[in-house]
Amino acid sequence: MSKRCDLPSLWSHEPQVELMFRPGDQVSDIDAESTPGFRGKKADAPTLQEERNVRFAELQEMLYANSRSGDTRSVLLVLQGMDTAGKGGIVKHVVGSANPQGITYTSFGKPTTDELSHHYLWRIRKALPTAGHIGVFDRSHYEDVLIVRVHNLVPPAVWEPRYDEINAFERELVDGGTTLVKVAMFVSLDEQKKRLAQRLERPDKYWKYNPGDVDERLKWPLYQQAYQAMLDRTSTDYAPWHVVPSNRKWYSRLAVTELLIEAMKRLNMSWPPPDFDVATEKKRLASA
Ligand code: AMP
Ligand code: MG
């Protein structure tokens, strides 16, 4: 089956191509409402999401199964985006469809004192997926060139070299058998306001609200610049960024699911062969 064949026909273009960041692409041109490459409608999303979650879960199980027979490869999903962009929704509605046994989830918040006493990649390295696992980073080492840059948490002379350092770090990961799927989720300023307002209306959403989110909104232009620099400087051929318009949650979830499926298909996996003789085992079992 060709790569294209597996993609549902509701996609007119392959998301991994359509959404890939290209040199010169401008963050200010991103239309967060748009649904690039998708020709279906919102009403198509629930059924399609369910179907593709099954496919995703199957590939994830295959990755895990292969690690049992010595395959050391892994996948790392890096999710970046402003508050309310929908990172948590990807974790819940996409990654959540797979067997938790093979998932390593880490959310990176404000570093602890202990973490701050180490190099910024220290906590990242500790959270990397082991053989057969899909690692999910809800925020990541990129915070060290995003919030850190926007808030001058360290001087430019410190954050500036981090872009190259991150590229070298990711090269090392890829050479070690980890496939990176880097996803930058973009919501519009208006949509973010709506989503934050909803959090304030619902007691079951208060836990997601942080008064500091409003302060970050005020720094939106600085964040746009920081995201632009991140994309310009750390989208590499071995670990490219994908820009996912995220005002429509149903779209961003479908898109990230396809990015994950495609990344795993590129691993050319099959079910591991038995390390025993099946016929013999059947006979033995029958008389056991
Ligand atoms: P949330 O993901 O909503 O729980 O928020 C986590 C907060 O921690 C966000 O405001 C992040 O920007 C912040 N954060 C994550 N990593 C870092 C970092 N390395 N330095 C400073 N703040 C960070
Ligand atoms: Mg938050």
Side-chain angles (χ1 to χ4, degrees), residues 83 139 208 213:
D83 274 298
R139 303 187 189 268
K208 287 193 190 183
D213 297 346

Side-chain angles (χ1 to χ4, degrees), residues 83 87 107-111 123 138-140 143-144 147-148 153 208 210 213 216 223:
D83 274 298
K87 303 182 290 297
S107 118
F108 292 97
K110 203 169 169 287
R123 64 174 184 167
D138 182 342
R139 303 187 189 268
S140 64
E143 292 292 326
D144 291 280
I147 188 166
V148 167
L153 298 181
K208 287 193 190 183
N210 173 353
D213 297 346
E216 299 307 307
Y223 269 108

Side-chain angles (χ1 to χ4, degrees), residues 53-68 97-99 101-103 132 134 264 269-272:
N53 280 355
V54 171
R55 179 74 177 124
F56 164 66
E58 180 187 47
L59 287 162
Q60 183 255 347
E61 189 170 339
M62 208 177 258
L63 180 70
Y64 190 78
N66 276 288
S67 74
R68 293 300 186 93
S97 64
N99 187 339
Q101 199 175 25
I103 304 288
I134 299 182
M264 284 194 285
M269 296 180 290
S270 46
W271 292 107

